[in-house]
Amino acid sequence: MGKMPYLIGIAVAGFAAVGAFTWYSYRSTVLSQEPVRKGVSEPVPASESTLGVRVAVPFQVLNAAINELLPSSFSQEGTGEQVCGWAGCVGTKYSYTATRSPVTFSRDGNSARGNVSISVNGKGGFRGDIARVLGLDAKNFEAAADVAVVAAATVTSDWCPVVTATVSYNWTKTPRVEIVNDVYVTLGDLVDKKLTENIATLPEKLKEAIPCDTIKAAAAKAWHNYAVPVQIPDGPLVYVSILPKQVGTSGLVVADEGLRIAVGVVSDVAVSTKAPTEQSTPPLPPLGQVPDSAGKLDVSLPLRAEYTHLNEAIVSAVKGKAFEFAVGSGKGTVEVKEAEVFPSDGKIGLKLVFAADLPGRIFNTSGTVYATAKVTPDETGQVIQLTDFSYSRILDNGVWSALSAVFEGQLRQQIENNGRIDLKPHLEKGRDALQKAISDPTKTNGIKIEVGEPDAKIVAITPTDDHLAILTRITGTLDTTVVDPALAK
């Protein structure tokens, strides 16, 4: 009977050992304090964009306007100088018609150069009955001249062009008539005066060809409040509000294809998930000055990335991998069993559930460690990464002392190197959605706005309660062109 209590004692001790092993194996040691689980609000700052309105006047349009405004010919008749000889002095007379070729403008440096040819046909001779009887009263003559006008223009604050021009011409065939042998009547001064009077109207006609109202009306087409709905990929519908506040011009610019007046409409840009209340557009202000450059698109567009994507990247980087480390003369291993990402007051919180084999211990150790990190864009502005990675306040110094080498070294490096998400495809979708919406005339008061060379980069990342808010800055050019405005009306 003495052996029975002994055997019972051994059995109890065995069960106790098994129970202790089971309890120790599954005991989870919380090494660090859990960070607060809380997201922050998503900021979307306002920006400023400039819509470039190009009032284009191709040379063929300008030529047509000028040719309509200028008379195609003019005539004159009168008495001229006296011609004196051995028989005395005799008065002269003349009549002629000058006909011009079509005016053609082209670029001449920073000015517009108009060219026109003048041909003159007329009669000249002596006055009096005797001259008529002798057939000396109406001798035919002809002449020709090349005329050039070089014009430059500016646009004043009241939207009107101011044209400065220089006009020059030279006779390629002098207007004179031979009445009798070696007796000539030169009509240059007489024709010059009339020709100068007509050519002198060219600068004013050029101004008439681009009336003030035309320039102002072109700018007025773009001077509107816009509320452009944009469907964010994998996100909500947002409204891009464009509110004009200033307008300016570079003046009249001469290009190879024609004249161009660059008007810039400077606007405040805001993005909201709520449809903006309708606001009346302020009156078109006086014209200021802007450079002759393409309009500037600058929009802060909010995109979204789910926490699951970041969680998957981190799990892929660490889960199931055995991280070895030296402990005294032996080696230990740590294996991450689970990983969870959550928002933590402006940062990312990270929960890592691990199992560790520590030399010198009978049983494995399992536990949980918490960390925080900032989520920032990398240098390309298209990939998000973890920076300022740190573990929360340590609670269990004993186990942490044994495991700190692997957590502070390999595991931290693995998370920082691989906890990255390439959002380039996502950014491109957001950029394309914005470009398509702004370029749709049905959403912009019928104006065809061209968004050129758009680029999208991440500027900030905000961990909200249920997603990563990716603030994206989309930049590019923003232009609309009013071609062939109504001229010379």
Side-chain angles (χ1 to χ4, degrees), residues 258-282:
L259 306 182
R260 183 177 70 244
I261 300 170
V263 176
V265 177
V266 183
S267 303
D268 287 326
V269 180
V271 178
S272 173
T273 54
K274 296 181 179 179
T277 56
E278 188 173 343
Q279 301 182 42
S280 59
T281 305

Side-chain angles (χ1 to χ4, degrees), residues 111-181:
S111 300
R113 180 185 180 90
N115 293 297
V116 60
S117 296
I118 304 290
S119 60
V120 180
N121 291 281
K123 296 179 182 294
F126 295 129
R127 300 194 296 267
D129 294 336
I130 295 175
R132 185 176 64 254
V133 172
L134 296 175
L136 301 177
D137 65 334
K139 293 285 188 176
N140 292 329
F141 74 93
E142 58 183 23
D146 288 335
V147 181
V149 55
V150 179
T154 58
V155 182
T156 63
S157 61
D158 61 356
W159 299 90
C160 291
V162 175
V163 179
T164 58
T166 57
V167 179
S168 61
Y169 64 92
N170 67 290
W171 292 106
T172 56
K173 191 172 184 180
T174 305
R176 66 176 187 168
V177 57
E178 183 180 21
I179 300 175
V180 295
N181 291 340

Side-chain angles (χ1 to χ4, degrees), residues 365-396:
T365 297
S366 62
T368 303
V369 66
Y370 292 96
T372 60
K374 289 182 179 179
V375 188
T376 61
D378 71 354
E379 64 279 359
T380 69
Q382 298 181 328
V383 175
I384 64 174
Q385 60 185 359
L386 298 180
T387 61
D388 296 345
F389 185 98
S390 63
Y391 292 98
S392 299
R393 185 168 64 87
I394 301 304
L395 301 176
D396 188 328

Side-chain angles (χ1 to χ4, degrees), residues 22-313:
T22 303
W23 172 82
Y24 197 93
S25 295
Y26 290 99
R27 183 172 69 89
S28 178
T29 302
V30 180
L31 297 188
S32 60
Q33 184 177 25
E34 181 177 2
V36 62
R37 290 177 178 255
K38 181 179 70 172
V40 295
S41 60
E42 175 182 359
V44 184
S47 58
E48 183 181 271
S49 292
T50 302
L51 174 58
V53 183
R54 304 300 181 92
V55 183
V57 186
F59 281 129
Q60 62 266 31
V61 176
L62 181 63
N63 293 339
I66 289 292
N67 285 308
E68 183 179 340
L69 291 168
L70 282 176
S72 59
S73 65
F74 60 90
S75 300
Q76 185 179 27
E77 61 181 30
T79 57
E81 61 187 9
Q82 287 192 329
V83 177
C84 298
W86 60 271
C89 295
V90 180
T92 60
K93 65 177 182 177
Y94 65 91
S95 65
Y96 68 87
T97 297
T99 305
R100 66 170 176 83
S101 66
V103 180
T104 57
F105 276 90
S106 60
R107 182 179 183 179
D108 184 6
N110 294 326
S111 300
R113 180 185 180 90
N115 293 297
V116 60
S117 296
I118 304 290
S119 60
V120 180
N121 291 281
K123 296 179 182 294
F126 295 129
R127 300 194 296 267
D129 294 336
I130 295 175
R132 185 176 64 254
V133 172
L134 296 175
L136 301 177
D137 65 334
K139 293 285 188 176
N140 292 329
F141 74 93
E142 58 183 23
D146 288 335
V147 181
V149 55
V150 179
T154 58
V155 182
T156 63
S157 61
D158 61 356
W159 299 90
C160 291
V162 175
V163 179
T164 58
T166 57
V167 179
S168 61
Y169 64 92
N170 67 290
W171 292 106
T172 56
K173 191 172 184 180
T174 305
R176 66 176 187 168
V177 57
E178 183 180 21
I179 300 175
V180 295
N181 291 340
D182 295 325
V183 177
Y184 292 90
V185 175
T186 301
L187 304 173
D189 291 341
L190 298 169
V191 180
D192 276 354
K193 183 179 179 181
K194 187 69 173 178
L195 184 59
T196 301
E197 289 176 358
N198 278 269
I199 294 174
T201 65
L202 266 174
E204 190 61 31
K205 299 301 184 186
L206 187 61
K207 181 179 176 180
E208 284 184 51
I210 314 174
C212 307
D213 290 345
T214 297
I215 303 171
K216 192 172 184 178
K221 289 184 179 180
W223 186 260
H224 284 285
N225 291 336
Y226 302 100
V228 182
V230 181
Q231 180 61 58
I232 300 297
D234 304 320
L237 178 70
V238 300
Y239 294 86
V240 178
S241 298
I242 303 175
L243 307 174
K245 63 180 182 180
Q246 182 182 344
V247 64
T249 180
S250 64
L252 191 142
V253 178
V254 181
D256 290 336
E257 67 281 359
L259 306 182
R260 183 177 70 244
I261 300 170
V263 176
V265 177
V266 183
S267 303
D268 287 326
V269 180
V271 178
S272 173
T273 54
K274 296 181 179 179
T277 56
E278 188 173 343
Q279 301 182 42
S280 59
T281 305
L284 192 65
L287 194 59
Q289 293 293 313
V290 296
D292 177 39
S293 58
K296 180 191 72 173
L297 171 70
D298 192 336
V299 176
S300 298
L301 193 67
L303 302 179
R304 288 185 175 183
E306 301 302 326
Y307 285 117
T308 53
H309 300 316
L310 185 58
N311 208 96
E312 288 169 0

Side-chain angles (χ1 to χ4, degrees), residues 39 304-307 343 463-468:
R304 288 185 175 183
E306 301 302 326
Y307 285 117
T464 69
D465 285 331
D466 53 7
H467 66 272
L468 287 171

